[in-house]
Amino acid sequence: MPPLGLYVHVPFCAAICDYCNFTRGLLDAGLKRRYVEAVRREVGGAGTGRAADTIYFGGGTPSVLEPGEVAAVIDACRRAFAVDAAAEITLEANPESVTVERLAAYRDAGVNRLSFGVQSFRDEELRRLGRVHDAARARGAVAEARRAGFDNVSLDLMLWLPGQSVPDLDDSLEALVGLEPEHASLYLLEIYAGSPLDAAVARAGWSRVPEDGAADMYIHAMERLEAAGYRQYEISNVARPGRESRHNAKYWMDGEWLGFGPAAHSTLGGVRWNNVPATAEYVRRVEAGESAVGSRRALSPRERLEEALFMELRLADGIRLERIRRTYGVDVWKEWGSKLARFEDAGLLEHDDTRLRLTRPGMLLANDVMITFLEAGSTVK
Ligand code: SF4
């Protein structure tokens, strides 16, 4: 059996960003202490002794956890699972919450990969997003990570920000390239109706480039990073060779993982379950010895196939057709080729005997291609 990925959701943030749509809340020291104990208990109760080769602290803002708290959760994982000595252990961090001493202590705790939520290297844009840090702090955090001994650092950047032009984006791209992270994630900002950012955009009259412009920004950014030696390996992710996210690969490549903490979801043996989203309720349940699971269901073979196709299509290498044939008994091109041909004709998709993959312009329209897998009939139920 391939090794599991272990995900730990940390639902606390020091401040709430104006665009945020994640499961998180403002830091509450008392609740955080109880949360850490609850996660340790949940991990211990899930222990199968099965091999695991990634641990990922995502959030929220995992760097609000003290290094000792991170060490305690990693220790619980090591007791409950056969965690590989060379496991990838990632901590998402916000630049304002770290110092070189704190980062060194995370490293001593076992963390070997940092993912910084930088979002932009322009102070004006960071203010608009409601971020607490400025560009200088982001640069400082990366320098501190290096001094603390981290050789695997990822930076998140957001594109298509209110009021952002292509030259503005270039400022952030140049700054990112200059810091030489091993990995970067690029997201087009979604502005949710009713979010503080949505209201601020309306109030201030900030304009956004039209959707076509957003597509140009995305392609421009990917080309700039490629010129700097990064390889785009997924719709939103680039890496130096060998520095692709091993944890996220489990989501994209039909792997299995267990999630701990509020709102965390798990997929194992064709069953998917989600923990309850509210932190207080999660903690209460675990303290009372009750299950933290809010919903659980077995995926049908058809759902498993669809999910495998959706997720692998996100990868630059695309869907491994022979693997799908072996695992699900389906010839993808035979089933959907007649519907997919129009995407190929439009230069959005390409395929040969081994792979079916999106071209870079096609990555922006991935959802349209994915819908095709839902429309047409495979014999898999
Ligand atoms: S730090 Fe991340 S999770 Fe927390 S409020 Fe900001 S965007 Fe949301």
Side-chain angles (χ1 to χ4, degrees):
M1 277 196 289
L4 290 171
L6 306 177
Y7 174 81
V8 180
H9 188 73
V10 184
F12 303 105
C13 292
I16 302 298
C17 305
D18 288 349
Y19 58 91
C20 181
N21 198 33
F22 298 117
T23 303
R24 74 313 177 244
L26 270 180
L27 181 59
D28 167 334
L31 186 59
K32 185 182 71 155
R33 266 194 304 278
R34 289 170 59 203
Y35 153 87
V36 171
E37 276 318 302
V39 168
R40 279 170 56 84
R41 196 159 162 183
E42 191 194 7
V43 169
T48 57
R50 184 167 158 185
D53 65 352
T54 64
I55 302 175
Y56 192 103
F57 290 85
T61 307
S63 52
V64 301
L65 294 186
E66 295 302 317
E69 293 172 324
V70 170
V73 174
I74 293 174
D75 177 61
C77 293
R78 291 197 188 282
R79 286 171 191 271
F81 299 90
V83 177
D84 195 292
E88 174 192 270
I89 304 183
T90 304
L91 183 90
E92 289 181 355
N94 278 350
E96 72 277 3
S97 63
V98 299
T99 60
V100 68
E101 292 78 18
R102 195 172 177 87
L103 290 171
Y106 286 133
R107 201 167 157 70
D108 289 345
V111 175
N112 53 25
R113 183 172 183 269
L114 290 172
S115 176
F116 282 116
V118 171
Q119 317 314 356
S120 165
F121 283 95
R122 288 174 56 87
D123 290 344
E124 191 188 352
E125 291 172 355
L126 289 166
R127 276 195 299 273
R128 285 181 185 179
L129 293 171
R131 298 293 301 206
V132 180
H133 69 272
D134 60 13
R137 178 81 291 269
R139 289 176 209 269
V142 176
E144 286 158 2
R146 297 305 190 197
R147 290 211 323 268
F150 283 95
D151 65 357
N152 204 357
V153 173
S154 179
L155 304 183
D156 283 3
L157 218 55
M158 282 186 163
L159 323 181
W160 202 26
L161 303 177
Q164 186 182 46
S165 65
V166 172
D168 294 342
L169 170 61
D170 276 333
D171 287 351
S172 285
L173 289 171
E174 293 314 315
L176 183 143
V177 166
L179 289 171
E180 302 183 338
E182 282 69 32
H183 186 282
S185 303
L186 273 67
Y187 302 102
L188 291 173
L189 174 69
E190 278 186 64
I191 300 183
Y192 296 96
S195 64
L197 182 59
D198 187 30
V201 167
R203 253 195 331 270
W206 295 321
S207 60
R208 275 176 120 190
V209 298
E211 277 197 29
D212 283 2
D216 292 344
M217 276 184 165
Y218 169 85
I219 290 172
H220 172 76
M222 289 300 176
E223 285 174 352
R224 175 65 189 98
L225 293 174
E226 216 159 60
Y230 294 92
R231 173 178 176 264
Q232 182 183 8
Y233 70 100
E234 196 266 351
I235 290 179
S236 304
N237 289 282
V238 303
R240 298 262 183 229
R243 298 310 188 105
E244 298 82 5
S245 165
R246 284 162 51 197
H247 182 81
N248 288 342
K250 304 208 185 275
Y251 307 141
W252 297 319
M253 299 178 81
D254 226 357
E256 294 185 308
W257 64 92
L258 293 176
F260 304 100
H265 64 93
S266 306
T267 298
L268 189 65
V271 180
R272 161 93 24 103
W273 64 93
N274 297 287
N275 282 354
V276 290
T279 305
E281 172 65 2
Y282 165 81
V283 168
R284 187 201 66 71
R285 285 195 185 199
V286 179
E287 285 176 347
E290 298 170 15
S291 166
V293 176
S295 64
R296 182 194 306 265
R297 70 194 187 88
L299 300 175
S300 70
R302 171 75 194 210
E303 284 174 319
R304 294 176 73 172
L305 167 65
E306 284 170 0
E307 179 139 330
L309 295 172
F310 291 174
M311 297 307 282
E312 249 183 54
L313 191 63
R314 296 185 59 91
L315 295 171
D317 286 343
I319 295 170
R320 296 162 291 173
L321 297 174
E322 180 51 34
R323 194 192 72 82
I324 296 291
R325 206 173 293 133
R326 258 197 340 267
T327 310
Y328 298 97
V330 171
D331 182 324
V332 174
W333 198 254
K334 214 157 124 191
E335 290 284 346
W336 289 287
S338 61
K339 304 244 176 189
L340 292 172
R342 64 193 168 101
F343 295 111
E344 204 166 39
D345 294 345
L348 302 175
L349 193 67
E350 50 194 27
H351 93 287
D352 57 26
D353 287 346
T354 57
R355 302 269 178 178
L356 175 76
R357 66 175 79 84
L358 295 166
T359 61
R360 186 166 287 155
M363 287 184 173
L364 287 155
L365 298 166
N367 287 348
D368 296 357
V369 179
M370 289 171 186
I371 285 168
T372 304
F373 293 126
L374 295 174
E375 280 172 1
S378 139
T379 45
V380 179
K381 295 287 178 250

